[in-house]
Amino acid sequence: MVDGGGENSVVDGLSTEEWLSCAQGLVPRALQKAREVKGFPGRWKMIISKLEQVPSRLSDLSSHPCFSKNALCKEQLQAASKTLNEAIQLAELCVKEKYEGKLRMQSDLDALAGKLDLNLRDCGLLIKTGVLGEVTFSSATASTSTEPEAAIHGNLKELLARLQIGHLEAKHKALDNLVEVMKEDEKNVLGVIGRSNIAALVQLLTATSPRIREKTVTVICSLAESGSCESWLVSEGVLPPLIRLVESGSTVGKEKATIALQRLSMLSETARSIVGHGGVRPLIEMCRTGDSVSQAASACTLKNISAVPEARQALAEEGIVRVMINLLDCGILLGSKEYAAECLQNLTSSNDDLKRSVISEGGIRSLLIYLDGPLPQESAVGALRNLVSLVPMEVLISVGLLPRLVHVLKSGSIGAQQAAAAAICRICTSSAEMKRWVGEAGAISLLVKMLEAKANSAREVAAQAVCSLMSVSHNCREVKKDEKSVPNLVALLDPSPHNTAKKYAVSCLALLSSSKKCKKLMISYGAIGYLKKLTEMEIPGAKKLLERLERGKFKTMFTRK
C-alpha cells in the first residue's frame, strides 16, 4: 500500500480512488497503534475518538456522485492520509518512549488532534455545503464549453471553495489568488460568490496573521461596496471584526474597514448594530486622527448613524458634536466637511440639548463659513434652520445669517433654497422686527420666484415664508409690487391633494385682496373657480376670499353695464 508520505513521483501519480484506498487502509493501522500507547492516556483517548470518525467521513465523501471528478476530493484525501501517517508515527514513538521530552510530545499530540478535527470538518464541509457538487459542475461546464466565461466561473467556484477548507496557510494562498482575481475581474467574482464563501471570509478577518486580516478586509470592502452582499456580510457577523480593525488594524486595514462600514451603515438596522457593537468610539477617533480617506469614510459612517434618532444620544456621549465641527473647519477632504454638515443637520433635527451643544461649541460660525465655500449648501442650511429658533435675533444679524440665506435663495440648489426658505420661516416666528429685516435683505422677490418650483415641498415652504413675511406692511407692499406674485399664488390654489401650499396661498391672496389691481389679476387668472372648490374642501379663508372676489366681479359687471 502506498502511504501519504511516499515519494512525490508516486504521490502525484495516484488517482482519487487510490488515495481513498490509501486513507482507508491507514485508519485501522492508526487505531491499532494508538490503542497500544500507555502514556498520555487523556490525549490518546481523544485522538482515538477522532480516528474512529474518519471511516464514516471517507464513506460519505466517496459516495458523492462527484467524488472522482473533483480535485478538492483528492486533495482532502491526501491531507487525511498525511494526518493518519503522522498519528501512526507518533503512536510508535509513544509506545517505544522514544520522544524528545514530555512537553514536546504533548504539544505534538495536541497538534495532531487539531489536524484530525480539520480533516473531519473539511470532509463534512465538502458534502454539507454543496461545494463539491457546485465546483464539479462548474469545472465540467468549463471543460466542455466553448464560452470562456464558463471556464472563468469554474475556476472561481473552486477558488472560493478553497477559502473554506484546509489549514490556514492554504486558505491564505487562496485568498492571495482571490485578491488578484478581484483586481482584474470583480464582476465575475460577485456573480458566483455564495453565503458560505462570505462566512469563510468573515472567519479569516479574525486570523492571527495581520497579513491575512489585511487581505481579507480588502476583499470584504469590495464586496460591501458592490452593494450585492450586505445582508450576508452582516448576518455572518462581519461588524465586530471590522470595528476591531478600525481600532487596531494596519493603515490599510483601517482604511478598508471604515469604507466597508460606510457602505454597510446605509441600512438603518446595520447602523444601529454598529452602535451596539461599540463602533462609535473608534469611528470618532478615526475622524480625529485618520488619514484623508479613512477620515472621510468614518465621517460618512457617523453621518449614516446620526440619521437613526435613537442612536444620537450615544453619538453625543462620545463627543460627536465637537468632532463634526472640527471637520467642518479642518476636514482633510471636502467630502469630510460635507458629511460633517449632514451629520450636524441630523443631530439637530429634533433634540434641543444637541442643538444647544452645537451652538455652544461654535457650530453656527463654522456652518456659516462652510456656506461661503464651494460645497453643497443644503445640509449646512438645514442645520442652521434647526438652530435659529434657539439663537437671539441680534446674534443672527451680527453673524451675517440673513445675507447668506438670501444668497442661497438666489443661487443655491433647489434643496438648499428649500432649506433657506424653511430657515426664514423659523426666523420670522421671533418678531415683527426680524420679518422686516428679512424683507429688507431682499428675500421676498426670491421667495415669490420660488413659488414656481417643480417640487411641491419647495413651493409649500416658499408660500409659508411669504405668508409669514406679509404680516408686516412693508413686506406686503413688496409682494404687491412683484408682477409674479399674484399669478404664482393663484396657481397654488390648485385643489389637488398633492398641492400642500394652497392654504398659504389663500392667506397671501387675502392680504393682497385689499388692492383693486390685485383682485382684478386674481379674477383674470381664474382664482374664483379654484376658490369654489377650496370652499367645498373647507380650506380656511377660502370662502371669505371667494366672497370678496365675487363682489368685486359683480361691481365690475354693473359698472360696465
Side-chain angles (χ1 to χ4, degrees), residues 66-83:
C66 301
F67 169 70
S68 61
K69 303 173 184 177
N70 195 285
L72 294 175
C73 278
K74 185 175 181 179
E75 291 174 17
Q76 191 55 46
L77 291 169
Q78 289 172 339
S81 297
K82 184 178 179 180
T83 303

Side-chain angles (χ1 to χ4, degrees), residues 468-488:
S468 180
L469 289 168
M470 286 179 69
S471 63
V472 173
S473 57
H474 172 271
N475 294 338
C476 193
R477 288 193 296 272
E478 289 297 314
V479 175
K480 286 178 183 178
K481 290 178 186 177
D482 195 306
E483 294 180 354
K484 293 185 175 181
S485 60
V486 172
N488 286 353

Side-chain angles (χ1 to χ4, degrees), residues 31-341:
L31 280 169
Q32 179 189 347
K33 294 290 183 182
R35 287 167 179 153
E36 293 174 1
V37 179
K38 302 301 182 185
F40 310 102
R43 283 177 168 80
W44 277 107
K45 183 179 180 181
M46 179 174 60
I47 290 169
I48 289 168
S49 70
K50 297 180 190 301
L51 288 170
E52 288 172 342
Q53 298 174 47
V54 173
S56 64
R57 294 297 171 91
L58 294 178
S59 176
D60 291 342
L61 197 61
S62 62
S63 62
H64 194 282
C66 301
F67 169 70
S68 61
K69 303 173 184 177
N70 195 285
L72 294 175
C73 278
K74 185 175 181 179
E75 291 174 17
Q76 191 55 46
L77 291 169
Q78 289 172 339
S81 297
K82 184 178 179 180
T83 303
L84 291 167
N85 269 310
E86 187 175 332
I88 293 169
Q89 292 166 7
L90 288 176
E92 288 175 345
L93 289 174
C94 287
V95 169
K96 298 174 182 178
E97 297 187 355
K98 292 184 178 180
Y99 45 83
E100 297 179 7
K102 190 174 181 180
L103 292 177
R104 171 68 180 273
M105 179 52 72
Q106 286 175 344
S107 176
D108 289 344
L109 293 176
D110 290 340
L112 172 62
K115 291 175 184 178
L116 283 167
D117 271 335
L118 184 62
N119 294 149
L120 292 168
R121 186 192 74 88
D122 287 351
C123 280
L125 194 65
L126 285 172
I127 304 297
K128 291 179 182 178
T129 64
V131 165
L132 195 57
E134 284 182 2
V135 176
T136 303
F137 177 78
S138 300
S139 299
T141 303
S143 63
T144 58
S145 174
T146 56
E147 294 292 330
E149 188 174 342
I152 292 171
H153 279 209
N155 292 334
L156 285 175
K157 283 279 189 179
E158 183 168 328
L159 175 59
L160 290 168
R162 291 180 185 280
L163 293 174
Q164 301 177 64
I165 61 173
H167 53 79
L168 189 59
E169 199 54 41
K171 292 177 180 177
H172 189 188
K173 185 177 179 181
L175 186 60
D176 280 339
N177 293 333
L178 181 60
V179 170
E180 292 304 313
V181 170
M182 289 195 73
K183 288 178 182 177
E184 300 176 4
D185 196 6
E186 183 176 311
K187 182 179 178 181
N188 268 314
V189 175
L190 295 173
V192 299
I193 199 164
R195 183 164 186 164
S196 59
N197 310 130
I198 299 288
L201 284 167
V202 171
Q203 288 179 358
L204 289 175
L205 272 183
T206 59
T208 54
S209 166
R211 289 189 306 129
I212 293 179
R213 292 199 302 269
E214 189 173 293
K215 291 171 185 175
T216 303
V217 77
T218 299
V219 174
I220 284 178
C221 179
S222 296
L223 295 176
E225 287 187 298
S226 74
S228 60
C229 307
E230 299 106 311
S231 59
W232 283 350
L233 285 166
V234 174
S235 64
E236 291 298 334
V238 78
L239 295 180
L242 284 179
I243 291 168
R244 300 294 82 79
L245 279 174
V246 174
E247 284 181 317
S248 57
S250 64
T251 301
V252 173
K254 287 181 178 181
E255 178 182 306
K256 297 298 183 182
T258 52
I259 293 172
L261 289 172
Q262 174 186 349
R263 184 63 180 79
L264 295 172
S265 64
M266 292 173 67
L267 296 172
S268 59
E269 190 57 44
T270 305
R272 291 187 190 93
S273 296
I274 291 173
V275 176
H277 288 297
V280 172
R281 182 171 296 178
L283 287 167
I284 284 182
E285 187 61 27
M286 189 63 68
C287 286
R288 292 192 181 106
T289 62
D291 60 27
S292 58
V293 175
S294 298
Q295 184 187 78
S298 297
C300 186
T301 306
L302 291 167
K303 179 265 296 185
N304 292 341
I305 294 172
S306 71
V308 180
E310 58 268 33
R312 291 171 190 158
Q313 187 57 41
L315 293 172
E317 290 170 0
E318 295 294 344
I320 194 169
V321 170
R322 179 69 260 164
V323 169
M324 289 299 134
I325 292 174
N326 283 340
L327 282 183
L328 273 184
D329 295 334
C330 312
I332 302 172
L333 296 179
L334 294 179
S336 298
K337 294 174 179 276
E338 187 178 351
Y339 296 138

